PDB file of all heavy atoms in Angstrom:
ATOM      1  N   ARG A  48      85.044  98.000 117.612  1.00 98.00           N
ATOM      2  CA  ARG A  48      85.768  98.712 116.553  1.00 98.00           C
ATOM      3  C   ARG A  48      86.172  97.766 115.420  1.00 98.00           C
ATOM      4  O   ARG A  48      86.019  98.082 114.240  1.00 98.00           O
ATOM      5  CB  ARG A  48      87.011  99.389 117.140  1.00 98.00           C
ATOM      6  CG  ARG A  48      87.883 100.104 116.115  1.00 98.00           C
ATOM      7  CD  ARG A  48      87.146 101.308 115.533  1.00 98.00           C
ATOM      8  NE  ARG A  48      87.828 101.847 114.369  1.00 98.00           N
ATOM      9  CZ  ARG A  48      88.722 102.839 114.413  1.00 98.00           C
ATOM     10  NH1 ARG A  48      89.009 103.425 115.542  1.00 98.00           N
ATOM     11  NH2 ARG A  48      89.299 103.271 113.302  1.00 98.00           N
ATOM     12  N   LYS A 215     106.876  87.513 109.336  1.00 97.00           N
ATOM     13  CA  LYS A 215     106.223  88.821 109.087  1.00 97.00           C
ATOM     14  C   LYS A 215     104.935  88.975 109.893  1.00 97.00           C
ATOM     15  O   LYS A 215     103.988  89.630 109.456  1.00 97.00           O
ATOM     16  CB  LYS A 215     105.908  89.066 107.599  1.00 97.00           C
ATOM     17  CG  LYS A 215     106.981  88.614 106.620  1.00 97.00           C
ATOM     18  CD  LYS A 215     108.250  89.396 106.771  1.00 97.00           C
ATOM     19  CE  LYS A 215     109.350  88.834 105.869  1.00 97.00           C
ATOM     20  NZ  LYS A 215     110.670  88.836 106.533  1.00 97.00           N
ATOM     21  N   LEU A 265      97.216 115.563 130.050  1.00 94.00           N
ATOM     22  CA  LEU A 265      96.040 115.918 129.245  1.00 94.00           C
ATOM     23  C   LEU A 265      94.811 116.161 130.118  1.00 94.00           C
ATOM     24  O   LEU A 265      93.750 116.524 129.623  1.00 94.00           O
ATOM     25  CB  LEU A 265      95.743 114.854 128.181  1.00 94.00           C
ATOM     26  CG  LEU A 265      96.621 114.866 126.930  1.00 94.00           C
ATOM     27  CD1 LEU A 265      96.169 113.797 125.937  1.00 94.00           C
ATOM     28  CD2 LEU A 265      96.636 116.227 126.237  1.00 94.00           C
ATOM     29  N   ARG A 267      92.715 114.277 131.958  1.00 92.00           N
ATOM     30  CA  ARG A 267      91.549 113.398 132.036  1.00 92.00           C
ATOM     31  C   ARG A 267      92.010 111.945 131.910  1.00 92.00           C
ATOM     32  O   ARG A 267      93.105 111.680 131.423  1.00 92.00           O
ATOM     33  CB  ARG A 267      90.552 113.708 130.913  1.00 92.00           C
ATOM     34  CG  ARG A 267      91.128 113.468 129.527  1.00 92.00           C
ATOM     35  CD  ARG A 267      90.078 113.694 128.427  1.00 92.00           C
ATOM     36  NE  ARG A 267      90.667 113.584 127.099  1.00 92.00           N
ATOM     37  CZ  ARG A 267      90.805 112.441 126.439  1.00 92.00           C
ATOM     38  NH1 ARG A 267      90.403 111.304 126.971  1.00 92.00           N
ATOM     39  NH2 ARG A 267      91.361 112.409 125.241  1.00 92.00           N
ATOM     40  N   GLU A 273      89.562 104.990 122.920  1.00 98.00           N
ATOM     41  CA  GLU A 273      90.844 105.528 122.463  1.00 98.00           C
ATOM     42  C   GLU A 273      91.899 104.433 122.378  1.00 98.00           C
ATOM     43  O   GLU A 273      92.757 104.452 121.497  1.00 98.00           O
ATOM     44  CB  GLU A 273      91.280 106.660 123.395  1.00 98.00           C
ATOM     45  CG  GLU A 273      90.324 107.845 123.317  1.00 98.00           C
ATOM     46  CD  GLU A 273      90.679 108.971 124.275  1.00 98.00           C
ATOM     47  OE1 GLU A 273      90.710 108.710 125.495  1.00 98.00           O
ATOM     48  OE2 GLU A 273      90.933 110.085 123.813  1.00 98.00           O
ATOM     49  N   GLN A 285      98.544  99.573 108.141  1.00 96.00           N
ATOM     50  CA  GLN A 285      99.203 100.854 108.302  1.00 96.00           C
ATOM     51  C   GLN A 285     100.420 100.786 109.227  1.00 96.00           C
ATOM     52  O   GLN A 285     101.123 101.780 109.406  1.00 96.00           O
ATOM     53  CB  GLN A 285      98.223 101.897 108.869  1.00 96.00           C
ATOM     54  CG  GLN A 285      97.070 102.188 107.938  1.00 96.00           C
ATOM     55  CD  GLN A 285      97.541 102.948 106.713  1.00 96.00           C
ATOM     56  OE1 GLN A 285      97.948 104.092 106.798  1.00 96.00           O
ATOM     57  NE2 GLN A 285      97.528 102.284 105.558  1.00 96.00           N
ATOM     58  N   TYR A 288     105.555  97.911 109.549  1.00 97.00           N
ATOM     59  CA  TYR A 288     106.987  97.940 109.909  1.00 97.00           C
ATOM     60  C   TYR A 288     107.191  98.149 111.411  1.00 97.00           C
ATOM     61  O   TYR A 288     108.296  98.326 111.874  1.00 97.00           O
ATOM     62  CB  TYR A 288     107.716  99.029 109.103  1.00 97.00           C
ATOM     63  CG  TYR A 288     109.215  98.779 109.000  1.00 97.00           C
ATOM     64  CD1 TYR A 288     109.709  97.589 108.449  1.00 97.00           C
ATOM     65  CD2 TYR A 288     110.134  99.709 109.463  1.00 97.00           C
ATOM     66  CE1 TYR A 288     111.067  97.348 108.371  1.00 97.00           C
ATOM     67  CE2 TYR A 288     111.505  99.475 109.378  1.00 97.00           C
ATOM     68  CZ  TYR A 288     111.960  98.286 108.828  1.00 97.00           C
ATOM     69  OH  TYR A 288     113.309  98.037 108.752  1.00 97.00           O
ATOM     70  N   GLU A 292     107.229  96.607 119.612  1.00 96.00           N
ATOM     71  CA  GLU A 292     107.194  97.944 120.198  1.00 96.00           C
ATOM     72  C   GLU A 292     106.119  98.009 121.282  1.00 96.00           C
ATOM     73  O   GLU A 292     105.080  97.350 121.191  1.00 96.00           O
ATOM     74  CB  GLU A 292     106.923  98.955 119.066  1.00 96.00           C
ATOM     75  CG  GLU A 292     106.685 100.387 119.476  1.00 96.00           C
ATOM     76  CD  GLU A 292     107.864 101.078 120.122  1.00 96.00           C
ATOM     77  OE1 GLU A 292     108.828 100.409 120.509  1.00 96.00           O
ATOM     78  OE2 GLU A 292     107.801 102.307 120.286  1.00 96.00           O
ATOM     79  N   ASN A 295     102.855 103.631 124.777  1.00 97.00           N
ATOM     80  CA  ASN A 295     102.096 104.152 125.920  1.00 97.00           C
ATOM     81  C   ASN A 295     100.895 104.948 125.431  1.00 97.00           C
ATOM     82  O   ASN A 295     101.022 105.770 124.516  1.00 97.00           O
ATOM     83  CB  ASN A 295     102.950 105.111 126.753  1.00 97.00           C
ATOM     84  CG  ASN A 295     104.052 104.409 127.523  1.00 97.00           C
ATOM     85  OD1 ASN A 295     104.092 103.188 127.601  1.00 97.00           O
ATOM     86  ND2 ASN A 295     104.941 105.182 128.102  1.00 97.00           N
ATOM     87  N   GLY A 298      97.880 109.877 128.071  1.00 95.00           N
ATOM     88  CA  GLY A 298      97.667 111.315 128.223  1.00 95.00           C
ATOM     89  C   GLY A 298      98.928 112.078 128.595  1.00 95.00           C
ATOM     90  O   GLY A 298      98.851 113.176 129.135  1.00 95.00           O
TER      91      GLY A 298
ATOM     92  N   ARG B  27     101.184 112.104 101.261  1.00 98.00           N
ATOM     93  CA  ARG B  27     100.117 111.407 101.981  1.00 98.00           C
ATOM     94  C   ARG B  27      99.098 112.398 102.556  1.00 98.00           C
ATOM     95  O   ARG B  27      97.882 112.203 102.448  1.00 98.00           O
ATOM     96  CB  ARG B  27     100.721 110.557 103.097  1.00 98.00           C
ATOM     97  CG  ARG B  27      99.705 109.877 104.005  1.00 98.00           C
ATOM     98  CD  ARG B  27      98.898 108.822 103.240  1.00 98.00           C
ATOM     99  NE  ARG B  27      97.844 108.260 104.060  1.00 98.00           N
ATOM    100  CZ  ARG B  27      97.969 107.188 104.837  1.00 98.00           C
ATOM    101  NH1 ARG B  27      99.123 106.529 104.865  1.00 98.00           N
ATOM    102  NH2 ARG B  27      96.965 106.746 105.553  1.00 98.00           N
ATOM    103  N   LYS B 194      95.754 120.714 125.084  1.00 97.00           N
ATOM    104  CA  LYS B 194      95.312 119.524 124.330  1.00 97.00           C
ATOM    105  C   LYS B 194      95.968 119.445 122.964  1.00 97.00           C
ATOM    106  O   LYS B 194      95.378 118.946 121.996  1.00 97.00           O
ATOM    107  CB  LYS B 194      93.777 119.479 124.160  1.00 97.00           C
ATOM    108  CG  LYS B 194      92.975 119.895 125.379  1.00 97.00           C
ATOM    109  CD  LYS B 194      93.159 118.961 126.538  1.00 97.00           C
ATOM    110  CE  LYS B 194      92.460 119.489 127.797  1.00 97.00           C
ATOM    111  NZ  LYS B 194      93.242 119.192 129.012  1.00 97.00           N
ATOM    112  N   LEU B 244     112.364  91.987 110.920  1.00 95.00           N
ATOM    113  CA  LEU B 244     111.401  91.827 109.822  1.00 95.00           C
ATOM    114  C   LEU B 244     112.083  91.632 108.473  1.00 95.00           C
ATOM    115  O   LEU B 244     111.414  91.421 107.461  1.00 95.00           O
ATOM    116  CB  LEU B 244     110.425  93.009 109.753  1.00 95.00           C
ATOM    117  CG  LEU B 244     109.269  93.003 110.756  1.00 95.00           C
ATOM    118  CD1 LEU B 244     108.327  94.177 110.507  1.00 95.00           C
ATOM    119  CD2 LEU B 244     108.465  91.705 110.733  1.00 95.00           C
ATOM    120  N   ARG B 246     113.734  93.561 106.324  1.00 92.00           N
ATOM    121  CA  ARG B 246     113.825  94.577 105.273  1.00 92.00           C
ATOM    122  C   ARG B 246     114.032  95.936 105.899  1.00 92.00           C
ATOM    123  O   ARG B 246     113.716  96.136 107.074  1.00 92.00           O
ATOM    124  CB  ARG B 246     112.566  94.590 104.407  1.00 92.00           C
ATOM    125  CG  ARG B 246     111.304  95.038 105.158  1.00 92.00           C
ATOM    126  CD  ARG B 246     110.155  95.330 104.193  1.00 92.00           C
ATOM    127  NE  ARG B 246     108.895  95.608 104.886  1.00 92.00           N
ATOM    128  CZ  ARG B 246     108.456  96.840 105.203  1.00 92.00           C
ATOM    129  NH1 ARG B 246     109.174  97.912 104.923  1.00 92.00           N
ATOM    130  NH2 ARG B 246     107.287  96.989 105.814  1.00 92.00           N
ATOM    131  N   ASN B 255     102.447 106.386 107.105  1.00 98.00           N
ATOM    132  CA  ASN B 255     101.280 105.759 107.739  1.00 98.00           C
ATOM    133  C   ASN B 255     101.224 106.078 109.232  1.00 98.00           C
ATOM    134  O   ASN B 255     100.160 106.372 109.784  1.00 98.00           O
ATOM    135  CB  ASN B 255     101.333 104.235 107.564  1.00 98.00           C
ATOM    136  CG  ASN B 255     101.102 103.792 106.133  1.00 98.00           C
ATOM    137  OD1 ASN B 255     100.491 104.503 105.348  1.00 98.00           O
ATOM    138  ND2 ASN B 255     101.602 102.620 105.778  1.00 98.00           N
ATOM    139  N   GLN B 264      92.555 109.832 115.827  1.00 96.00           N
ATOM    140  CA  GLN B 264      92.664 108.448 116.283  1.00 96.00           C
ATOM    141  C   GLN B 264      93.685 108.276 117.403  1.00 96.00           C
ATOM    142  O   GLN B 264      93.820 107.193 117.965  1.00 96.00           O
ATOM    143  CB  GLN B 264      93.057 107.539 115.101  1.00 96.00           C
ATOM    144  CG  GLN B 264      91.985 107.431 114.050  1.00 96.00           C
ATOM    145  CD  GLN B 264      90.789 106.683 114.576  1.00 96.00           C
ATOM    146  OE1 GLN B 264      90.840 105.482 114.790  1.00 96.00           O
ATOM    147  NE2 GLN B 264      89.700 107.386 114.824  1.00 96.00           N
ATOM    148  N   SER B 266      94.201 110.725 120.057  1.00 96.00           N
ATOM    149  CA  SER B 266      94.064 111.920 120.896  1.00 96.00           C
ATOM    150  C   SER B 266      94.563 111.747 122.328  1.00 96.00           C
ATOM    151  O   SER B 266      94.859 112.722 122.998  1.00 96.00           O
ATOM    152  CB  SER B 266      92.608 112.400 120.895  1.00 96.00           C
ATOM    153  OG  SER B 266      91.743 111.324 121.145  1.00 96.00           O
ATOM    154  N   TYR B 267      94.664 110.496 122.827  1.00 97.00           N
ATOM    155  CA  TYR B 267      95.141 110.310 124.208  1.00 97.00           C
ATOM    156  C   TYR B 267      96.627 109.934 124.252  1.00 97.00           C
ATOM    157  O   TYR B 267      97.148 109.586 125.298  1.00 97.00           O
ATOM    158  CB  TYR B 267      94.296 109.247 124.926  1.00 97.00           C
ATOM    159  CG  TYR B 267      94.347 109.359 126.441  1.00 97.00           C
ATOM    160  CD1 TYR B 267      93.976 110.537 127.094  1.00 97.00           C
ATOM    161  CD2 TYR B 267      94.789 108.309 127.224  1.00 97.00           C
ATOM    162  CE1 TYR B 267      94.046 110.650 128.467  1.00 97.00           C
ATOM    163  CE2 TYR B 267      94.849 108.410 128.611  1.00 97.00           C
ATOM    164  CZ  TYR B 267      94.477 109.592 129.219  1.00 97.00           C
ATOM    165  OH  TYR B 267      94.535 109.705 130.597  1.00 97.00           O
ATOM    166  N   GLU B 271     104.894 110.669 123.615  1.00 97.00           N
ATOM    167  CA  GLU B 271     105.302 109.279 123.433  1.00 97.00           C
ATOM    168  C   GLU B 271     106.275 109.160 122.265  1.00 97.00           C
ATOM    169  O   GLU B 271     106.136 109.830 121.251  1.00 97.00           O
ATOM    170  CB  GLU B 271     104.045 108.427 123.191  1.00 97.00           C
ATOM    171  CG  GLU B 271     104.257 106.983 122.867  1.00 97.00           C
ATOM    172  CD  GLU B 271     104.871 106.158 123.987  1.00 97.00           C
ATOM    173  OE1 GLU B 271     105.320 106.739 124.987  1.00 97.00           O
ATOM    174  OE2 GLU B 271     104.926 104.932 123.843  1.00 97.00           O
ATOM    175  N   ILE B 274     108.795 103.692 118.223  1.00 97.00           N
ATOM    176  CA  ILE B 274     109.897 103.154 117.418  1.00 97.00           C
ATOM    177  C   ILE B 274     109.320 102.397 116.236  1.00 97.00           C
ATOM    178  O   ILE B 274     108.416 101.581 116.391  1.00 97.00           O
ATOM    179  CB  ILE B 274     110.788 102.243 118.284  1.00 97.00           C
ATOM    180  CG1 ILE B 274     111.498 103.103 119.344  1.00 97.00           C
ATOM    181  CG2 ILE B 274     111.797 101.490 117.426  1.00 97.00           C
ATOM    182  CD1 ILE B 274     112.248 102.305 120.388  1.00 97.00           C
ATOM    183  N   GLY B 277     111.121  97.726 112.286  1.00 96.00           N
ATOM    184  CA  GLY B 277     111.071  96.318 111.906  1.00 96.00           C
ATOM    185  C   GLY B 277     111.516  95.398 113.020  1.00 96.00           C
ATOM    186  O   GLY B 277     111.980  94.291 112.770  1.00 96.00           O
TER     187      GLY B 277
END
Side-chain angles (χ1 to χ4, degrees):
Chain A
R48 177 67 192 267
K215 320 295 175 219
L265 282 183
R267 63 176 175 87
E273 295 177 301
Q285 296 290 292
Y288 202 57
E292 173 65 346
N295 289 350
Chain B
R27 175 66 186 270
K194 319 295 174 217
L244 281 184
R246 66 167 173 94
N255 290 336
Q264 293 292 289
S266 48
Y267 202 57
E271 175 65 350
I274 293 171

